[in-house]
Amino acid sequence: MKEKVIEDIVKEVLAKMNQTKDVTVDGSIPIAVSARHIHLQQEHVEILFGKDYELTKRHDLSQLGQFAANETLMIAGPKGSIERVRILGPVRPVSQVEVSLTDAFTLGINPPLRESGNIVGSSAITLIGPAGTVHLDEGLIVAQAHIHMNPQEAEMLHVSDGQFVQVEVKSERPITMNRVKVRVSKRYTLEMHIDTDEANTGFITQGTIGNIVYPEEVLLDRRQERSLITVSNPIENITVYEKKLLSKDDVEAIQENIIQINKRTIVTALAYDCAREQNKTIKIV
Ligand SMILES: [Zn+2]
């Protein structure tokens, strides 16, 4: 029984370690390139594919519960159409189509740059499926670049939900993206999502690493944090005291936890008491 408990604890610890394995204090973020895609509400699935039709899974996506469906649709605008646009599941409350600006030119539409889900007043688009057609009066957007992460990752990366950050990519054609939105949720896996135009600009492929560029004050904060860690490390926290007498006042004045003295130094009784009170060690060498 005991072995089982230990095994469970080890598993839990390993899971925690894996959760944060991609997070380093330098702010490196794996990038995923989102191709044009469609999110559908169930009513539209049934108009496009037939009554009671349900989307079928092709493969899971990195974000929990999200999947690429086997089903695709044609999308059409006033100037042109694009075939075989992938549907992503599961179904959502409102249908939405995300394209790159290059796609939008093909369609002859000028969609707004939006966060996924924010489609009020966005562009119209027509969806054509094997069983029917749906015209959306609004729902076509160019997706705002964003980074998904869980709360622990946000803490380690010194960012918070809704914040905009700058991300630098040191690729063959290096770019820095501004106004990348941070999105924090327990369900999220650390990953930055950009569209194909952004990816092409920076010669970015699936899994390329980007780095959050921190403003100077954040870097300064971090350096201070690091120096605090060093101070609290007892191994490096020694002062070498070489005077003939170590008094209570001297012990109080010394910041370090270990006061190293030599055999010739005289230590007063009050100095010893004070050291004990303040959790300092007087070490004779
Ligand atoms: Zn995303």
Side-chain angles (χ1 to χ4, degrees), residues 265-278:
T265 302
I266 297 157
V267 183
T268 67
L270 281 174
Y272 272 123
D273 289 343
C274 177
R276 210 174 304 122
E277 268 168 34
Q278 297 190 352

Side-chain angles (χ1 to χ4, degrees), residues 226-253:
R226 265 205 292 277
S227 65
L228 283 177
I229 290 165
T230 315
V231 168
S232 66
N233 178 355
I235 296 164
E236 295 184 12
N237 197 7
I238 297 177
T239 192
V240 179
Y241 188 85
E242 288 178 322
K243 290 181 191 161
K244 278 181 190 155
L245 182 80
L246 180 69
S247 71
K248 174 178 179 280
D249 288 349
D250 296 321
V251 173
E252 264 173 352

Side-chain angles (χ1 to χ4, degrees), residues 34 63 146 148 183 193:
S34 303
Q63 300 303 319
H146 56 275
H148 296 271
R183 290 166 63 179
H193 289 172

Side-chain angles (χ1 to χ4, degrees), residues 134-198:
V134 169
H135 179 78
L136 302 176
D137 286 329
E138 57 184 22
L140 182 75
I141 62 167
V142 173
Q144 163 102 53
H146 56 275
I147 310 171
H148 296 271
M149 63 183 76
N150 68 35
Q152 295 98 298
E153 289 161 340
E155 200 181 324
M156 290 179 80
L157 291 163
H158 297 258
V159 293
S160 54
D161 188 43
Q163 189 183 336
F164 288 101
V165 293
Q166 209 177 48
V167 176
E168 185 180 44
V169 183
K170 293 184 183 114
S171 56
E172 196 184 340
R173 189 160 72 188
I175 58 164
T176 300
M177 280 173 272
N178 291 297
R179 287 184 65 77
V180 178
K181 193 160 193 178
V182 171
R183 290 166 63 179
V184 181
S185 163
K186 274 186 202 159
R187 297 173 295 126
Y188 288 160
T189 303
L190 183 67
E191 195 170 67
M192 176 165 162
H193 289 172
I194 60 172
D195 73 14
T196 46
D197 282 352
E198 290 165 315

Side-chain angles (χ1 to χ4, degrees), residues 77-114:
K79 280 211 179 125
S81 61
I82 302 170
E83 279 184 85
R84 288 189 295 278
V85 181
R86 184 72 50 197
I87 299 170
L88 303 188
V91 288
R92 286 193 177 186
V94 185
S95 294
Q96 171 186 314
V97 181
E98 296 174 42
V99 293
S100 70
L101 210 48
T102 304
D103 292 337
F105 286 132
T106 304
L107 299 166
I109 309 174
N110 190 18
L113 181 72
R114 291 283 180 83

